[in-house]
Every structure is written in structure tokens, then in C-alpha cells.
Amino acid sequence: MMLRTDPFREFDRLTREAFGASHGTSARPVIMPMDAWRDGDTFHIELDIPGVTPENIDLDVENNVVTVKAERPAADHGESSLAAERPRGTFSRQLVLGDNLDTGKITAGYDAGVLRLSIPVAESAKPRKIEITSRGSEPTAINP
């Protein structure tokens, strides 16, 4: 369904979190935590992007790669700021999807800081029955 192609990206994220780096840039974006699961013929993905307006979310699909980018501007509390622990700046996540998903029919919704994607399984990847023929007989369907 979904391929993870960059094992070092997760290590980089953990290192940045351990050392307190919470401001994302376009060169080093903050990663979005996600959940992914399959429910019947639909693949679901939920990405946490708290405090971002839908207008600041960019969702692209190219060659079975879904790219989500978002930006939460830096807070300007002036000199009275006492704490700044929430991630700011650029968030980014790329998901490499298998050929068995229909990326042309992705739907997306955003509510309460969670971006929800639904991707149907491609018709060609769904199970189907194959008829078998033999000489001198009519085609018959195999029942599972």
C-alpha cells in the first residue's frame, strides 16, 4: 500500500526533537505525525497539522507520490514571550504509494488540525474471479 523509502528521515526527526529543534524551514521541514490504515477498499491517512489554516496546506500527487506541505507562521509575542515550544514554520511529508491505489480519486478534508486523506484501491488491484475454459466445455467460474 505505502512504501517508506527514506529510513534516515525518521532518524533525523528524532534527533531534531531530542535537541529541541522545533522551527521548520523549507530545507529542513518539521515532519507531520501520521496514522495510516486500510478499511475495506479504501486506504486512510491522517496527518496532524495543528494551528494551520486550510489555505496554508498544499497537497500534490505526482507519480504515486503524495506530498503534503503546510506552514504555520512564527508567533510574534515580542519581548514578552515566556515559552515557544510549539513547532512553527514549514511542515512537510511525502508518502510513496503503491500502484494498487487510485491516486486520481484522492479526497481530502481538514478539521480540528487533522488532514484526512482517503484513497480508494484501484479497480485493477481488487480481487476478481477468472473463468477457466477447457476444450469441449462451456466456461465456468471458480467460486472461492
Side-chain angles (χ1 to χ4, degrees), residues 72-105:
R72 181 169 28 167
D76 185 16
H77 300 295
E79 293 181 25
S80 64
S81 181
L82 300 174
E85 297 176 354
R86 296 171 46 211
R88 303 276 181 187
T90 304
F91 297 79
S92 179
R93 187 82 187 234
Q94 281 193 322
L95 308 170
V96 180
L97 305 176
D99 291 333
N100 56 342
L101 297 176
D102 190 349
T103 57
K105 294 183 180 175

PDB file of all heavy atoms in Angstrom, residues 72-105:
ATOM      1  N   ARG A  72       2.998  27.139   9.308  1.00  0.00           N
ATOM      2  CA  ARG A  72       2.431  27.891  10.429  1.00  0.00           C
ATOM      3  C   ARG A  72       3.408  29.010  10.725  1.00  0.00           C
ATOM      4  O   ARG A  72       4.564  28.760  11.107  1.00  0.00           O
ATOM      5  CB  ARG A  72       2.244  27.011  11.659  1.00  0.00           C
ATOM      6  CG  ARG A  72       1.639  27.808  12.788  1.00  0.00           C
ATOM      7  CD  ARG A  72       1.162  27.019  13.957  1.00  0.00           C
ATOM      8  NE  ARG A  72       1.859  25.785  14.179  1.00  0.00           N
ATOM      9  CZ  ARG A  72       1.759  25.087  15.282  1.00  0.00           C
ATOM     10  NH1 ARG A  72       0.985  25.496  16.252  1.00  0.00           N
ATOM     11  NH2 ARG A  72       2.411  23.965  15.436  1.00  0.00           N
ATOM     12  N   PRO A  73       2.983  30.247  10.539  1.00  0.00           N
ATOM     13  CA  PRO A  73       3.911  31.361  10.734  1.00  0.00           C
ATOM     14  C   PRO A  73       4.368  31.473  12.188  1.00  0.00           C
ATOM     15  O   PRO A  73       3.677  31.048  13.109  1.00  0.00           O
ATOM     16  CB  PRO A  73       3.109  32.584  10.311  1.00  0.00           C
ATOM     17  CG  PRO A  73       1.691  32.163  10.253  1.00  0.00           C
ATOM     18  CD  PRO A  73       1.651  30.686  10.153  1.00  0.00           C
ATOM     19  N   ALA A  74       5.530  32.051  12.358  1.00  0.00           N
ATOM     20  CA  ALA A  74       6.080  32.259  13.697  1.00  0.00           C
ATOM     21  C   ALA A  74       5.211  33.240  14.459  1.00  0.00           C
ATOM     22  O   ALA A  74       4.714  34.217  13.896  1.00  0.00           O
ATOM     23  CB  ALA A  74       7.516  32.771  13.606  1.00  0.00           C
ATOM     24  N   ALA A  75       5.016  32.963  15.725  1.00  0.00           N
ATOM     25  CA  ALA A  75       4.232  33.863  16.570  1.00  0.00           C
ATOM     26  C   ALA A  75       5.078  35.077  16.912  1.00  0.00           C
ATOM     27  O   ALA A  75       6.276  34.967  17.161  1.00  0.00           O
ATOM     28  CB  ALA A  75       3.811  33.149  17.842  1.00  0.00           C
ATOM     29  N   ASP A  76       4.445  36.227  16.935  1.00  0.00           N
ATOM     30  CA  ASP A  76       5.162  37.450  17.270  1.00  0.00           C
ATOM     31  C   ASP A  76       4.628  37.972  18.599  1.00  0.00           C
ATOM     32  O   ASP A  76       3.674  38.744  18.649  1.00  0.00           O
ATOM     33  CB  ASP A  76       4.985  38.494  16.163  1.00  0.00           C
ATOM     34  CG  ASP A  76       5.828  39.737  16.416  1.00  0.00           C
ATOM     35  OD1 ASP A  76       6.750  39.666  17.251  1.00  0.00           O
ATOM     36  OD2 ASP A  76       5.542  40.767  15.777  1.00  0.00           O
ATOM     37  N   HIS A  77       5.242  37.481  19.668  1.00  0.00           N
ATOM     38  CA  HIS A  77       4.844  37.910  21.012  1.00  0.00           C
ATOM     39  C   HIS A  77       5.756  39.024  21.520  1.00  0.00           C
ATOM     40  O   HIS A  77       5.630  39.451  22.657  1.00  0.00           O
ATOM     41  CB  HIS A  77       4.875  36.733  21.992  1.00  0.00           C
ATOM     42  CG  HIS A  77       3.949  35.622  21.611  1.00  0.00           C
ATOM     43  ND1 HIS A  77       2.586  35.761  21.584  1.00  0.00           N
ATOM     44  CD2 HIS A  77       4.199  34.351  21.235  1.00  0.00           C
ATOM     45  CE1 HIS A  77       2.033  34.621  21.215  1.00  0.00           C
ATOM     46  NE2 HIS A  77       2.992  33.754  20.984  1.00  0.00           N
ATOM     47  N   GLY A  78       6.678  39.427  20.701  1.00  0.00           N
ATOM     48  CA  GLY A  78       7.611  40.479  21.105  1.00  0.00           C
ATOM     49  C   GLY A  78       8.535  39.997  22.222  1.00  0.00           C
ATOM     50  O   GLY A  78       8.842  38.824  22.330  1.00  0.00           O
ATOM     51  N   GLU A  79       8.964  40.911  23.040  1.00  0.00           N
ATOM     52  CA  GLU A  79       9.882  40.568  24.121  1.00  0.00           C
ATOM     53  C   GLU A  79       9.181  39.916  25.299  1.00  0.00           C
ATOM     54  O   GLU A  79       9.828  39.437  26.219  1.00  0.00           O
ATOM     55  CB  GLU A  79      10.622  41.829  24.587  1.00  0.00           C
ATOM     56  CG  GLU A  79      11.563  42.375  23.531  1.00  0.00           C
ATOM     57  CD  GLU A  79      12.303  43.604  24.008  1.00  0.00           C
ATOM     58  OE1 GLU A  79      12.482  43.774  25.228  1.00  0.00           O
ATOM     59  OE2 GLU A  79      12.701  44.402  23.151  1.00  0.00           O
ATOM     60  N   SER A  80       7.841  39.867  25.284  1.00  0.00           N
ATOM     61  CA  SER A  80       7.107  39.303  26.413  1.00  0.00           C
ATOM     62  C   SER A  80       6.925  37.790  26.307  1.00  0.00           C
ATOM     63  O   SER A  80       6.256  37.196  27.130  1.00  0.00           O
ATOM     64  CB  SER A  80       5.740  39.979  26.537  1.00  0.00           C
ATOM     65  OG  SER A  80       4.964  39.701  25.389  1.00  0.00           O
ATOM     66  N   SER A  81       7.522  37.150  25.301  1.00  0.00           N
ATOM     67  CA  SER A  81       7.388  35.715  25.135  1.00  0.00           C
ATOM     68  C   SER A  81       8.080  34.975  26.277  1.00  0.00           C
ATOM     69  O   SER A  81       9.238  35.221  26.588  1.00  0.00           O
ATOM     70  CB  SER A  81       8.001  35.289  23.797  1.00  0.00           C
ATOM     71  OG  SER A  81       7.857  33.907  23.625  1.00  0.00           O
ATOM     72  N   LEU A  82       7.345  34.048  26.905  1.00  0.00           N
ATOM     73  CA  LEU A  82       7.890  33.267  28.014  1.00  0.00           C
ATOM     74  C   LEU A  82       8.267  31.854  27.602  1.00  0.00           C
ATOM     75  O   LEU A  82       9.125  31.239  28.218  1.00  0.00           O
ATOM     76  CB  LEU A  82       6.882  33.216  29.166  1.00  0.00           C
ATOM     77  CG  LEU A  82       6.491  34.579  29.740  1.00  0.00           C
ATOM     78  CD1 LEU A  82       5.391  34.400  30.769  1.00  0.00           C
ATOM     79  CD2 LEU A  82       7.700  35.262  30.339  1.00  0.00           C
ATOM     80  N   ALA A  83       7.581  31.340  26.571  1.00  0.00           N
ATOM     81  CA  ALA A  83       7.877  29.990  26.079  1.00  0.00           C
ATOM     82  C   ALA A  83       7.507  29.922  24.608  1.00  0.00           C
ATOM     83  O   ALA A  83       6.561  30.569  24.166  1.00  0.00           O
ATOM     84  CB  ALA A  83       7.105  28.948  26.863  1.00  0.00           C
ATOM     85  N   ALA A  84       8.255  29.154  23.849  1.00  0.00           N
ATOM     86  CA  ALA A  84       7.971  28.950  22.418  1.00  0.00           C
ATOM     87  C   ALA A  84       8.342  27.517  22.064  1.00  0.00           C
ATOM     88  O   ALA A  84       9.370  27.247  21.458  1.00  0.00           O
ATOM     89  CB  ALA A  84       8.747  29.943  21.568  1.00  0.00           C
ATOM     90  N   GLU A  85       7.495  26.557  22.476  1.00  0.00           N
ATOM     91  CA  GLU A  85       7.782  25.138  22.290  1.00  0.00           C
ATOM     92  C   GLU A  85       7.029  24.527  21.123  1.00  0.00           C
ATOM     93  O   GLU A  85       7.389  23.449  20.670  1.00  0.00           O
ATOM     94  CB  GLU A  85       7.423  24.378  23.571  1.00  0.00           C
ATOM     95  CG  GLU A  85       8.248  24.805  24.762  1.00  0.00           C
ATOM     96  CD  GLU A  85       7.816  24.113  26.053  1.00  0.00           C
ATOM     97  OE1 GLU A  85       6.793  23.385  26.033  1.00  0.00           O
ATOM     98  OE2 GLU A  85       8.486  24.313  27.065  1.00  0.00           O
ATOM     99  N   ARG A  86       5.977  25.158  20.656  1.00  0.00           N
ATOM    100  CA  ARG A  86       5.177  24.593  19.571  1.00  0.00           C
ATOM    101  C   ARG A  86       5.900  24.756  18.244  1.00  0.00           C
ATOM    102  O   ARG A  86       6.463  25.809  17.970  1.00  0.00           O
ATOM    103  CB  ARG A  86       3.812  25.268  19.529  1.00  0.00           C
ATOM    104  CG  ARG A  86       3.018  24.989  20.796  1.00  0.00           C
ATOM    105  CD  ARG A  86       1.763  25.804  20.893  1.00  0.00           C
ATOM    106  NE  ARG A  86       1.026  25.791  19.647  1.00  0.00           N
ATOM    107  CZ  ARG A  86       0.286  26.823  19.247  1.00  0.00           C
ATOM    108  NH1 ARG A  86       0.192  27.915  19.959  1.00  0.00           N
ATOM    109  NH2 ARG A  86      -0.379  26.750  18.117  1.00  0.00           N
ATOM    110  N   PRO A  87       5.899  23.713  17.417  1.00  0.00           N
ATOM    111  CA  PRO A  87       6.601  23.812  16.130  1.00  0.00           C
ATOM    112  C   PRO A  87       6.005  24.898  15.245  1.00  0.00           C
ATOM    113  O   PRO A  87       4.791  25.066  15.175  1.00  0.00           O
ATOM    114  CB  PRO A  87       6.399  22.442  15.486  1.00  0.00           C
ATOM    115  CG  PRO A  87       5.798  21.574  16.497  1.00  0.00           C
ATOM    116  CD  PRO A  87       5.279  22.414  17.606  1.00  0.00           C
ATOM    117  N   ARG A  88       6.860  25.611  14.575  1.00  0.00           N
ATOM    118  CA  ARG A  88       6.480  26.695  13.662  1.00  0.00           C
ATOM    119  C   ARG A  88       7.221  26.518  12.347  1.00  0.00           C
ATOM    120  O   ARG A  88       8.167  25.761  12.252  1.00  0.00           O
ATOM    121  CB  ARG A  88       6.859  28.060  14.253  1.00  0.00           C
ATOM    122  CG  ARG A  88       6.274  28.362  15.583  1.00  0.00           C
ATOM    123  CD  ARG A  88       4.902  28.910  15.430  1.00  0.00           C
ATOM    124  NE  ARG A  88       4.347  29.215  16.741  1.00  0.00           N
ATOM    125  CZ  ARG A  88       3.116  29.572  16.909  1.00  0.00           C
ATOM    126  NH1 ARG A  88       2.319  29.681  15.871  1.00  0.00           N
ATOM    127  NH2 ARG A  88       2.640  29.828  18.101  1.00  0.00           N
ATOM    128  N   GLY A  89       6.793  27.260  11.363  1.00  0.00           N
ATOM    129  CA  GLY A  89       7.499  27.247  10.093  1.00  0.00           C
ATOM    130  C   GLY A  89       6.884  26.274   9.111  1.00  0.00           C
ATOM    131  O   GLY A  89       5.673  26.134   9.024  1.00  0.00           O
ATOM    132  N   THR A  90       7.720  25.566   8.377  1.00  0.00           N
ATOM    133  CA  THR A  90       7.284  24.680   7.308  1.00  0.00           C
ATOM    134  C   THR A  90       7.193  23.237   7.797  1.00  0.00           C
ATOM    135  O   THR A  90       8.108  22.736   8.440  1.00  0.00           O
ATOM    136  CB  THR A  90       8.269  24.757   6.127  1.00  0.00           C
ATOM    137  OG1 THR A  90       8.376  26.116   5.707  1.00  0.00           O
ATOM    138  CG2 THR A  90       7.800  23.911   4.967  1.00  0.00           C
ATOM    139  N   PHE A  91       6.073  22.592   7.480  1.00  0.00           N
ATOM    140  CA  PHE A  91       5.857  21.171   7.751  1.00  0.00           C
ATOM    141  C   PHE A  91       5.820  20.460   6.406  1.00  0.00           C
ATOM    142  O   PHE A  91       5.306  21.015   5.433  1.00  0.00           O
ATOM    143  CB  PHE A  91       4.512  20.943   8.446  1.00  0.00           C
ATOM    144  CG  PHE A  91       4.389  21.588   9.792  1.00  0.00           C
ATOM    145  CD1 PHE A  91       4.111  22.942   9.907  1.00  0.00           C
ATOM    146  CD2 PHE A  91       4.531  20.837  10.939  1.00  0.00           C
ATOM    147  CE1 PHE A  91       3.973  23.545  11.141  1.00  0.00           C
ATOM    148  CE2 PHE A  91       4.397  21.428  12.188  1.00  0.00           C
ATOM    149  CZ  PHE A  91       4.119  22.779  12.290  1.00  0.00           C
ATOM    150  N   SER A  92       6.325  19.233   6.344  1.00  0.00           N
ATOM    151  CA  SER A  92       6.310  18.520   5.071  1.00  0.00           C
ATOM    152  C   SER A  92       6.288  17.019   5.304  1.00  0.00           C
ATOM    153  O   SER A  92       6.865  16.522   6.271  1.00  0.00           O
ATOM    154  CB  SER A  92       7.542  18.896   4.251  1.00  0.00           C
ATOM    155  OG  SER A  92       7.555  18.192   3.033  1.00  0.00           O
ATOM    156  N   ARG A  93       5.614  16.318   4.381  1.00  0.00           N
ATOM    157  CA  ARG A  93       5.601  14.858   4.431  1.00  0.00           C
ATOM    158  C   ARG A  93       5.371  14.344   3.024  1.00  0.00           C
ATOM    159  O   ARG A  93       4.523  14.850   2.294  1.00  0.00           O
ATOM    160  CB  ARG A  93       4.467  14.383   5.341  1.00  0.00           C
ATOM    161  CG  ARG A  93       4.430  12.890   5.615  1.00  0.00           C
ATOM    162  CD  ARG A  93       5.408  12.563   6.724  1.00  0.00           C
ATOM    163  NE  ARG A  93       5.551  11.145   6.936  1.00  0.00           N
ATOM    164  CZ  ARG A  93       5.394  10.554   8.114  1.00  0.00           C
ATOM    165  NH1 ARG A  93       5.077  11.248   9.171  1.00  0.00           N
ATOM    166  NH2 ARG A  93       5.589   9.279   8.239  1.00  0.00           N
ATOM    167  N   GLN A  94       6.160  13.340   2.612  1.00  0.00           N
ATOM    168  CA  GLN A  94       5.954  12.680   1.326  1.00  0.00           C
ATOM    169  C   GLN A  94       5.620  11.223   1.587  1.00  0.00           C
ATOM    170  O   GLN A  94       6.277  10.566   2.394  1.00  0.00           O
ATOM    171  CB  GLN A  94       7.198  12.762   0.446  1.00  0.00           C
ATOM    172  CG  GLN A  94       7.357  14.087  -0.226  1.00  0.00           C
ATOM    173  CD  GLN A  94       8.397  14.038  -1.331  1.00  0.00           C
ATOM    174  OE1 GLN A  94       9.417  13.369  -1.206  1.00  0.00           O
ATOM    175  NE2 GLN A  94       8.142  14.752  -2.407  1.00  0.00           N
ATOM    176  N   LEU A  95       4.595  10.747   0.889  1.00  0.00           N
ATOM    177  CA  LEU A  95       4.160   9.362   1.002  1.00  0.00           C
ATOM    178  C   LEU A  95       4.265   8.712  -0.364  1.00  0.00           C
ATOM    179  O   LEU A  95       3.668   9.199  -1.323  1.00  0.00           O
ATOM    180  CB  LEU A  95       2.716   9.293   1.502  1.00  0.00           C
ATOM    181  CG  LEU A  95       2.410  10.082   2.768  1.00  0.00           C
ATOM    182  CD1 LEU A  95       0.912  10.129   3.007  1.00  0.00           C
ATOM    183  CD2 LEU A  95       3.130   9.464   3.943  1.00  0.00           C
ATOM    184  N   VAL A  96       5.020   7.634  -0.444  1.00  0.00           N
ATOM    185  CA  VAL A  96       5.136   6.896  -1.699  1.00  0.00           C
ATOM    186  C   VAL A  96       4.091   5.789  -1.651  1.00  0.00           C
ATOM    187  O   VAL A  96       4.151   4.910  -0.793  1.00  0.00           O
ATOM    188  CB  VAL A  96       6.552   6.311  -1.881  1.00  0.00           C
ATOM    189  CG1 VAL A  96       6.635   5.545  -3.189  1.00  0.00           C
ATOM    190  CG2 VAL A  96       7.594   7.418  -1.839  1.00  0.00           C
ATOM    191  N   LEU A  97       3.118   5.865  -2.556  1.00  0.00           N
ATOM    192  CA  LEU A  97       2.022   4.911  -2.584  1.00  0.00           C
ATOM    193  C   LEU A  97       2.272   3.841  -3.630  1.00  0.00           C
ATOM    194  O   LEU A  97       2.903   4.096  -4.651  1.00  0.00           O
ATOM    195  CB  LEU A  97       0.711   5.640  -2.896  1.00  0.00           C
ATOM    196  CG  LEU A  97       0.357   6.798  -1.965  1.00  0.00           C
ATOM    197  CD1 LEU A  97      -0.916   7.473  -2.455  1.00  0.00           C
ATOM    198  CD2 LEU A  97       0.202   6.320  -0.538  1.00  0.00           C
ATOM    199  N   GLY A  98       1.759   2.662  -3.372  1.00  0.00           N
ATOM    200  CA  GLY A  98       1.887   1.569  -4.324  1.00  0.00           C
ATOM    201  C   GLY A  98       0.965   1.768  -5.516  1.00  0.00           C
ATOM    202  O   GLY A  98       0.039   2.580  -5.501  1.00  0.00           O
ATOM    203  N   ASP A  99       1.197   0.998  -6.574  1.00  0.00           N
ATOM    204  CA  ASP A  99       0.391   1.095  -7.791  1.00  0.00           C
ATOM    205  C   ASP A  99      -1.030   0.580  -7.591  1.00  0.00           C
ATOM    206  O   ASP A  99      -1.882   0.777  -8.441  1.00  0.00           O
ATOM    207  CB  ASP A  99       1.046   0.307  -8.926  1.00  0.00           C
ATOM    208  CG  ASP A  99       2.340   0.948  -9.387  1.00  0.00           C
ATOM    209  OD1 ASP A  99       2.467   2.185  -9.241  1.00  0.00           O
ATOM    210  OD2 ASP A  99       3.223   0.220  -9.883  1.00  0.00           O
ATOM    211  N   ASN A 100      -1.287  -0.085  -6.464  1.00  0.00           N
ATOM    212  CA  ASN A 100      -2.610  -0.645  -6.234  1.00  0.00           C
ATOM    213  C   ASN A 100      -3.614   0.387  -5.714  1.00  0.00           C
ATOM    214  O   ASN A 100      -4.763   0.063  -5.480  1.00  0.00           O
ATOM    215  CB  ASN A 100      -2.530  -1.829  -5.271  1.00  0.00           C
ATOM    216  CG  ASN A 100      -1.883  -1.456  -3.964  1.00  0.00           C
ATOM    217  OD1 ASN A 100      -1.200  -0.452  -3.841  1.00  0.00           O
ATOM    218  ND2 ASN A 100      -2.100  -2.282  -2.957  1.00  0.00           N
ATOM    219  N   LEU A 101      -3.195   1.643  -5.542  1.00  0.00           N
ATOM    220  CA  LEU A 101      -4.098   2.699  -5.102  1.00  0.00           C
ATOM    221  C   LEU A 101      -4.415   3.640  -6.261  1.00  0.00           C
ATOM    222  O   LEU A 101      -3.570   3.892  -7.114  1.00  0.00           O
ATOM    223  CB  LEU A 101      -3.485   3.484  -3.940  1.00  0.00           C
ATOM    224  CG  LEU A 101      -3.230   2.676  -2.675  1.00  0.00           C
ATOM    225  CD1 LEU A 101      -2.529   3.532  -1.628  1.00  0.00           C
ATOM    226  CD2 LEU A 101      -4.518   2.107  -2.111  1.00  0.00           C
ATOM    227  N   ASP A 102      -5.639   4.161  -6.271  1.00  0.00           N
ATOM    228  CA  ASP A 102      -6.089   5.053  -7.341  1.00  0.00           C
ATOM    229  C   ASP A 102      -5.865   6.499  -6.911  1.00  0.00           C
ATOM    230  O   ASP A 102      -6.749   7.135  -6.329  1.00  0.00           O
ATOM    231  CB  ASP A 102      -7.560   4.792  -7.642  1.00  0.00           C
ATOM    232  CG  ASP A 102      -8.039   5.503  -8.891  1.00  0.00           C
ATOM    233  OD1 ASP A 102      -7.284   6.361  -9.412  1.00  0.00           O
ATOM    234  OD2 ASP A 102      -9.160   5.212  -9.340  1.00  0.00           O
ATOM    235  N   THR A 103      -4.681   7.039  -7.201  1.00  0.00           N
ATOM    236  CA  THR A 103      -4.341   8.401  -6.773  1.00  0.00           C
ATOM    237  C   THR A 103      -5.166   9.464  -7.491  1.00  0.00           C
ATOM    238  O   THR A 103      -5.206  10.603  -7.043  1.00  0.00           O
ATOM    239  CB  THR A 103      -2.844   8.690  -6.980  1.00  0.00           C
ATOM    240  OG1 THR A 103      -2.510   8.496  -8.349  1.00  0.00           O
ATOM    241  CG2 THR A 103      -1.990   7.791  -6.102  1.00  0.00           C
ATOM    242  N   GLY A 104      -5.845   9.112  -8.563  1.00  0.00           N
ATOM    243  CA  GLY A 104      -6.699  10.058  -9.263  1.00  0.00           C
ATOM    244  C   GLY A 104      -8.007  10.327  -8.528  1.00  0.00           C
ATOM    245  O   GLY A 104      -8.737  11.250  -8.880  1.00  0.00           O
ATOM    246  N   LYS A 105      -8.303   9.537  -7.509  1.00  0.00           N
ATOM    247  CA  LYS A 105      -9.567   9.691  -6.783  1.00  0.00           C
ATOM    248  C   LYS A 105      -9.345   9.997  -5.298  1.00  0.00           C
ATOM    249  O   LYS A 105     -10.176   9.668  -4.462  1.00  0.00           O
ATOM    250  CB  LYS A 105     -10.402   8.428  -6.937  1.00  0.00           C
ATOM    251  CG  LYS A 105     -10.847   8.200  -8.375  1.00  0.00           C
ATOM    252  CD  LYS A 105     -11.719   6.985  -8.494  1.00  0.00           C
ATOM    253  CE  LYS A 105     -12.148   6.779  -9.937  1.00  0.00           C
ATOM    254  NZ  LYS A 105     -12.899   5.535 -10.095  1.00  0.00           N
TER     255      LYS A 105
END
